[in-house]
Amino acid sequence: AGYDQIDISACTAAGIHVSHTPTAVDNATADTALYLLLSALRGFNAPLFSLRQQHWRGWPRPAPLGHDPQGKTLGILGMGGIGKNLARKAEGLGMKIVYHNRRRLSEEESGRAML
């Protein structure tokens, strides 16, 4: 994980600086994942497509209103910084969380998420 795939010696020899900031974008990435999840549940794409085609009313037929996140189950692969952050946000919307990780998390780390 992180920078395992980067040859640090070769980069240093070439004068290339390598940095690793593992938590810098956890929150922003989880926000984006949640936005995409909500957009899919609510069917945001259909009305946007209609507007971009300058079809203002009644064409195509109105899309269904979508689905509520409450009560849905969200599966997360990898409960690192991003996964934990996403789980916390999704729990706030009433979602049940299940996860798969390389190692089982403690109850404190996983919150209410189930393995």
Side-chain angles (χ1 to χ4, degrees):
Y3 58 92
D4 294 345
Q5 68 279 15
I6 299 173
D7 185 342
I8 301 298
S9 298
C11 288
T12 303
I16 299 170
H17 298 277
V18 176
S19 65
H20 177 56
T21 55
T23 61
V25 295
D26 287 358
N27 198 43
T29 304
D31 284 350
T32 301
L34 189 59
Y35 164 75
L36 293 170
L37 176 71
L38 290 172
S39 294
L41 280 170
R42 293 291 185 189
F44 287 169
N45 194 44
L48 288 175
F49 179 77
S50 187
L51 286 173
R52 288 182 180 138
Q53 299 298 312
Q54 297 183 359
H55 299 136
W56 312 114
R57 293 182 187 210
W59 191 94
R61 294 184 194 272
L65 296 177
H67 303 280
D68 286 327
Q70 187 172 11
K72 301 287 189 283
T73 300
L74 174 63
I76 298 176
L77 298 176
M79 282 290 271
I82 297 167
K84 289 178 198 171
N85 194 309
L86 178 59
R88 188 175 67 251
K89 292 170 193 272
E91 283 175 346
L93 296 173
M95 298 184 83
K96 177 184 167 191
I97 309 299
V98 294
Y99 74 92
H100 176 79
N101 200 42
R102 285 183 275 188
R103 67 173 179 83
R104 183 180 206 110
L105 300 179
S106 70
E107 248 182 77
E108 183 179 303
E109 285 181 298
S110 67
R112 291 179 292 208
M114 298 170 50
L115 185 61

